[in-house]
Amino acid sequence: MQLKTKLLLSAVAVSSVLTSSAVLAQASEQFIGLPSYRVGAYAAGGSGIYGGWIDYMALVNERDGGVNGVKLTWEECETEYNNARGVECYERLKSKGASGNTVFQPLSTGITYSVLDKVAQDKIPMVTIGYGRTDASDGRVFPWVFPMLTNYWSQNTAKIKFIGAKEGGMDKLKGKKIVNIYHDSAYGKETIPLLDAQAKKYGFTVVHIPVSHPGNEQQSQWLRVRQEKPDWVILRGWGVMNPTAIKAAAKVGFPRDKMVGVWWSGAEEDTIPAGDAAKGFIAAGFNVAGANYPVVKAIQDNVYKKNKGNMEDKARIGSVYYNRGVVHGIITVEAIRTAQAKFGKGKVMNGEQMRWGFENLAIDSKRLKELGAEGFMPDLKVTCLDHEGSGKVKFQQWDGKQWKVLTDWIDADKELVRPMIEESAAKYAKEKNITPRDCSKEG
């Protein structure tokens, strides 16, 4: 009987020590919830981006021992790019970790809209890199939302600048016709007001043609394109819609070097399935492809050589979507570092502290070089007023085997975009009875 009691007490003691160790470990870890999607029509984008992002966080843990000693932990929740599932994942992840989820990045404009009010109530910053609600760039009205690096409207003005340059000057756009083939969703519709404003400003005609989810049937849309006889086509697709559109363009004889895709249409997963039809296709980007960048090599040396990489298909390392995931990782980690510099090095940051980190994030060319990401992504500086932080875009062209960069970073037309952002944000503030912050009083 005495022996049983001793064994029982010993077991309880060991269990208590293990539980205490687990609690202590969790208390010193920064938790990041990942509402990913690795199945369905958009799996190629989701698996590549979340794979690169996880690999970068693994690099920081393996090589640096975390951010000033704070290890990064994460958990994925499958959304299938579905708004309702995205909301479920938001709720499931928000209480995880020592201080709850400290940043939500859904990689979906639809989910972004679905949780817009929730993130403000729960004090969890939402970062939407290259997607989401454009007028959230006005941080006075949307203090918890960060549409970095370049929002959709900025990208679109860079796109029209690129087309204008190809035509010989912006004045040569007058009388031209541009067809906008778009994914019939919140994401796809986001640029329609901006394109209409640009058409009015430069004197070209724009025709908007929607494509229903998931976009693997586009015969009627491309027959319409043939009837319209446009000078250029803008492709605003996602997932299987992209190679379907490229092949359909070839079928009706529309030249691919007169097609300019959004950055969600410009990855290897969009062009390789289209085969020879994709040769000449052009797309925008806020990151470039390639495995020769020091940051990607560091992941291979410190993560994959230890068999701790996330990508099953290692040939995708260095692809457009994989590198975009690395960009997500860089921005998230640098925001943690920025927040720690103010609230305490080596401490786990909560949602409010992370929000401050994102709002005061500055990654200049010197820092990009230190990170091994020079030329990999644009520099950025986020402020209370400007939650976009960059607005720069490059253009690349598919040569049949790989993407070739065509331009340096092209700045957005801020004179056109910013007033539209402020007008739209002010309208939202009025609808929601929000008093915009006075950024001059923010520290």
Side-chain angles (χ1 to χ4, degrees):
M1 186 66 179
Q2 284 184 331
L3 179 60
K4 281 186 176 179
T5 303
K6 284 182 180 178
L7 288 172
L8 181 60
L9 289 172
S10 297
V12 170
V14 169
S15 175
S16 298
V17 169
L18 291 175
T19 302
S20 299
S21 298
V23 170
L24 285 172
Q26 191 183 57
S28 62
E29 295 171 343
Q30 187 79 43
F31 177 76
I32 296 161
L34 302 175
S36 61
Y37 40 93
R38 294 178 182 265
V39 298
Y42 311 104
S47 59
I49 291 173
Y50 284 99
W53 184 357
I54 288 171
D55 279 348
Y56 185 80
M57 292 192 290
L59 168 67
V60 172
N61 281 346
E62 292 294 325
R63 183 191 61 189
D64 307 334
V67 184
N68 296 314
V70 176
K71 287 289 187 75
L72 305 174
T73 61
W74 54 86
E75 179 178 317
E76 291 188 72
C77 182
E78 176 65 48
T79 70
E80 298 183 16
Y81 197 69
N82 175 282
N83 294 350
R85 287 182 182 272
V87 174
E88 289 175 13
C89 284
Y90 172 84
E91 296 293 343
R92 191 180 305 167
L93 293 168
K94 74 177 183 182
S95 301
K96 298 271 186 176
S99 58
N101 190 18
T102 50
V103 58
F104 189 71
Q105 304 188 47
L107 200 60
S108 159
T109 297
I111 298 173
T112 297
Y113 274 79
S114 298
V115 301
L116 200 66
D117 293 334
K118 290 177 179 290
V119 296
Q121 293 165 5
D122 296 328
K123 299 187 184 304
I124 299 173
M126 178 160 62
V127 177
T128 58
I129 299 174
Y131 63 94
R133 182 170 178 141
T134 300
D135 60 4
S137 300
D138 190 340
R140 297 171 302 179
V141 177
F142 297 91
W144 292 92
V145 188
F146 296 85
M148 300 184 284
L149 291 152
T150 306
N151 63 46
Y152 282 143
W153 292 359
S154 291
Q155 177 195 204
N156 209 79
T157 61
K159 203 179 294 174
I160 296 301
K161 277 187 178 182
F162 174 80
I163 292 173
K166 287 288 186 183
E167 290 290 344
M170 300 303 285
D171 60 316
K172 300 294 191 299
L173 290 172
K174 189 173 183 179
K176 300 293 182 183
K177 180 183 283 187
I178 297 175
V179 162
N180 173 38
I181 295 268
Y182 68 94
H183 192 276
D184 195 9
S185 63
Y187 147 65
K189 296 172 184 174
E190 188 74 16
T191 55
I192 290 176
L194 193 281
L195 263 171
D196 289 341
Q198 287 181 294
K200 186 177 180 182
K201 179 177 180 178
Y202 295 113
F204 63 82
T205 301
V206 60
V207 178
H208 305 290
I209 302 178
V211 174
S212 300
H213 158 85
N216 50 4
E217 291 289 340
Q218 298 180 38
Q219 186 176 0
S220 63
Q221 287 87 352
W222 284 92
L223 286 175
R224 172 88 184 278
V225 170
R226 188 164 65 181
Q227 291 167 356
E228 293 286 351
K229 298 179 179 176
D231 299 284
W232 291 84
V233 166
I234 289 176
L235 176 61
R236 193 164 171 77
W238 183 222
V240 296
M241 176 179 163
N242 292 322
T244 304
I246 293 168
K247 286 189 282 189
K251 197 171 181 180
V252 301
F254 189 83
R256 267 68 70 216
D257 62 358
K258 294 285 185 179
M259 288 179 71
V260 183
V262 65
W263 42 55
W264 302 117
S265 302
E268 293 81 354
E269 290 83 353
D270 302 314
T271 48
I272 291 174
D276 291 340
K279 192 172 182 179
F281 176 64
I282 298 167
F286 57 80
N287 67 281
V288 295
N292 292 325
Y293 291 89
V295 64
V296 179
K297 287 185 173 297
I299 290 171
Q300 290 172 321
D301 290 342
N302 293 277
V303 180
Y304 280 89
K305 284 185 178 177
K306 297 177 182 177
N307 294 319
K308 294 185 176 181
N310 187 267
M311 300 295 291
E312 290 184 15
D313 182 1
K314 295 179 180 58
R316 296 180 70 195
I317 296 171
S319 67
V320 169
Y321 284 148
Y322 180 87
N323 286 1
R324 191 162 299 166
V326 175
V327 170
H328 279 69
I330 289 173
I331 287 176
T332 304
V333 169
E334 291 305 293
I336 295 170
R337 207 181 303 281
T338 301
Q340 284 190 3
K342 179 176 176 64
F343 299 107
K345 281 189 176 180
K347 293 183 178 178
V348 174
M349 297 292 103
N350 62 29
E352 289 182 276
Q353 291 165 335
M354 281 293 290
R355 195 204 69 78
W356 191 94
F358 283 115
E359 191 159 83
N360 291 273
L361 184 60
I363 305 177
D364 59 13
S365 57
K366 181 184 174 187
R367 184 58 182 157
L368 284 173
K369 190 172 184 178
E370 292 171 350
L371 294 168
E374 188 178 27
F376 188 77
M377 58 183 276
D379 57 291
L380 77 157
K381 180 175 174 57
V382 184
T383 66
C384 167
L385 191 66
D386 178 15
H387 278 196
E388 180 185 23
S390 174
K392 297 177 181 178
V393 181
K394 281 186 179 181
F395 289 85
Q396 57 183 356
Q397 187 169 35
W398 185 252
D399 71 358
K401 294 181 179 177
Q402 60 184 333
W403 289 103
K404 296 286 188 184
V405 175
L406 295 177
T407 68
D408 199 350
W409 296 111
I410 294 177
D411 289 316
D413 185 349
K414 296 279 187 181
E415 290 184 5
L416 176 65
V417 172
R418 185 66 198 186
M420 290 182 67
I421 287 173
E422 294 188 2
E423 182 182 354
S424 181
K427 184 179 177 184
Y428 179 84
K430 188 175 181 180
E431 289 172 357
K432 296 287 184 177
N433 197 26
I434 295 171
T435 301
R437 291 186 297 163
D438 182 350
C439 287
S440 67
K441 296 178 180 177
E442 297 286 329

